[in-house]
Amino acid sequence: MKVLVIGGGAREHALCRSLSLDPDVTALHCAPGNAGIAEVAELHEVDALDGGAVADLAARLAADLVVVGPEAPLVAGVADAVRERGIPVFGPSAPAARLEGSKAFAKDVMAAAGVPTARSYVCTTPEEIDAALDAFGAPYVVKDDGLAAGKGVVVTEDAAAARAHALGCDRVVIEEFLDGPEVSLFAVTDGETVVPLQPAQDFKRAYDGDQGPNTGGMGAYSPLPWADPKLVDEVLQSVLQPTVDELRRRGTPFSGLLYAGLALTSRGIRVIEFNARFGDPETQVVLARLKTPLAGLLHAAATGTLAAVPPLRWSDGAAVTVVIAAHNYPGTPRTGDPIEGLAAVAAQDAPDAYVLHAGTRRDASGAVLSAGGRVLSVTATGDDLPTARERAYRAVGRIALDGSQHRTDIAAKAASGA
């Protein structure tokens, strides 16, 4: 199978790494990719938001499968353009990707499907915003209705900050605060059959102790030793399958990766948000534990044959990923700084720990430089969480990036059994 992956972040590096280890993959391409992905896939220049250009590239490469990584191309209809050429594509259509592209649309789908979620108001005027903030009170949860690269959500006790964020959005969803731990659960679906993956937990705040601003994610781990063993089945029955069934009923079947961000509240499971693609950084730990070859699973979803896929196989161990971010992230990051220590990790920590590139590029001399906010995802596996966590942080310690930052408490509570 010849596979083309669209995107250039750590999620796409994780996908490319897993696909490169799949014996059924005979050729692996990525567009536009990054410095790390170049080590496992052939890179191509393409405008990832241009469906015609992506479809042309896929046809030129004679790709048997196209995997669209990020949300923006999906919402822009890139998967539709590839599908129209008769090439199997893993990723939902633009109408189905509205599940992530519009939080108001997602709320409407959940209401129709009977999926449990937070009570909310969709607001477009200052008067509606003030009424909604007053109705729920602090802590305030304010979400930009559209795509915002994981940073469109503000959770704050400060009414003025909540109002300011809301006023900066064209359309905003204001909802009740959900208590309890958060869980990410991915599911692969062909629009009918839904195959859940293993749950993970990510860390959205920039600093230790869940302090600081929201980010796209500073680390993750899997499995969740504290979670109810029946959690995945419960989410499949109450959230994932009803949502897929409702979208099919509407004539916009969802095939690809359905990501449910969940709060395990005192009143039961509640959906915080849906995404229409693999989450970053949770993908890094979920794929590290998946033993079933990835290409066949994604191809089955893309071709409507998921019901015939055998049960997924998983490692019994654990995985932890720690994000190394650039100076000033999640504000405007400093870029162009050299990254040292990548060879040391490869020489001394592989295969138990490895580095997935996010915002990186190579200069003319071949040196790897920072090129984004989240720069690297240092990922490690082990027989248990404490081992995986120790290996991840040992590898983090070998890497030098001037001014960089990372959290030191990823998976600490879960690994200690607290």
Side-chain angles (χ1 to χ4, degrees):
M1 199 186 303
K2 296 178 185 172
V3 183
L4 169 63
V5 176
I6 301 301
R11 160 188 47 224
E12 287 77 32
H13 194 175
L15 286 164
C16 285
R17 180 183 182 273
S18 289
L19 290 165
S20 74
L21 298 173
D22 186 334
D24 287 337
V25 175
T26 54
L28 182 59
H29 303 270
C30 186
N34 61 39
I37 294 173
E39 296 173 12
V40 295
E42 184 180 339
L43 300 192
H44 303 268
E45 282 297 320
V46 77
D47 178 354
L49 296 177
D50 184 336
V54 172
D56 286 344
L57 175 62
R60 192 166 74 247
L61 296 172
D64 301 298
L65 174 67
V66 176
V67 180
V68 182
E71 61 273 22
L74 292 167
V75 172
V78 167
D80 306 76
V82 176
R83 243 182 228 109
E84 284 165 12
R85 300 285 184 93
I87 301 168
V89 58
F90 183 80
S93 66
R98 284 187 69 208
L99 202 60
E100 176 169 7
S102 169
K103 292 176 178 62
F105 174 74
K107 289 287 188 184
D108 183 57
V109 170
M110 284 187 270
V115 170
T117 186
R119 293 180 300 121
S120 63
Y121 295 102
V122 179
C123 308
T124 55
T125 68
E127 293 77 19
E128 290 173 346
I129 288 166
D130 290 340
L133 293 172
D134 287 345
F136 290 128
Y140 303 99
V141 181
V142 183
K143 300 181 174 182
D144 191 329
D145 179 54
L147 293 180
K151 291 177 285 209
V153 179
V154 165
V155 181
T156 179
E157 299 278 349
D158 184 336
R163 188 172 191 272
H165 181 67
L167 290 171
C169 306
D170 288 335
R171 190 157 78 143
V172 67
V173 175
I174 296 174
E175 62 184 42
E176 66 176 328
F177 177 77
L178 297 173
D179 64 335
E182 295 185 14
V183 173
S184 300
L185 186 61
F186 302 163
V188 173
T189 178
D190 58 8
E192 292 195 21
T193 302
V194 181
V195 177
L197 306 187
Q198 288 283 302
Q201 186 173 56
D202 76 331
F203 296 75
K204 294 207 167 49
R205 299 283 184 170
Y207 311 130
D208 284 8
D210 294 326
Q211 300 298 304
N214 250 351
T215 72
M218 295 299 291
Y221 69 95
S222 179
L224 313 181
W226 47 267
D228 187 326
K230 299 190 292 291
L231 174 67
V232 173
D233 284 342
E234 189 179 338
V235 175
L236 176 62
Q237 299 303 324
S238 67
V239 174
L240 299 169
Q241 192 72 55
T243 300
V244 169
D245 291 345
E246 171 62 19
L247 285 165
R248 188 175 68 253
R249 189 189 66 75
R250 292 178 177 222
T252 54
F254 187 107
S255 85
L257 196 291
L258 178 58
Y259 164 131
L262 308 163
L264 308 187
T265 77
S266 53
R267 293 170 294 144
I269 294 167
R270 296 289 184 274
V271 175
I272 301 168
E273 64 175 354
F274 282 125
N275 289 335
R277 39 72 194 180
F278 280 102
D280 183 345
E282 300 98 321
T283 301
Q284 289 85 302
V285 292
V286 172
L287 292 187
R289 297 186 54 231
L290 179 65
K291 287 178 130 178
T292 298
L294 185 60
L297 175 65
L298 303 188
H299 190 267
T303 54
T305 57
L306 205 52
V309 171
L312 300 185
R313 294 181 294 113
W314 297 92
S315 81
D316 293 329
V320 173
T321 194
V322 180
V323 170
I324 297 178
H327 176 73
N328 199 44
Y329 178 79
T332 304
R334 195 173 83 204
T335 59
D337 289 309
I339 302 167
E340 307 289 344
L342 297 172
V345 174
Q348 299 176 60
D349 300 299
D352 299 322
Y354 48 90
V355 179
L356 298 169
H357 292 232
T360 68
R361 65 178 179 85
R362 286 191 189 274
D363 67 9
S365 71
V368 179
L369 307 179
S370 62
R374 290 187 294 176
V375 181
L376 304 169
S377 285
V378 180
T379 306
T381 56
D383 289 341
D384 50 34
L385 267 180
T387 305
R389 186 172 185 277
E390 179 190 346
R391 287 172 174 171
Y393 277 106
R394 186 165 59 219
V396 167
R398 300 193 203 279
I399 293 169
L401 170 61
D402 189 45
S404 68
Q405 53 177 321
H406 66 271
R407 283 184 56 160
T408 65
D409 63 347
I410 304 300
K413 195 187 283 190
S416 70

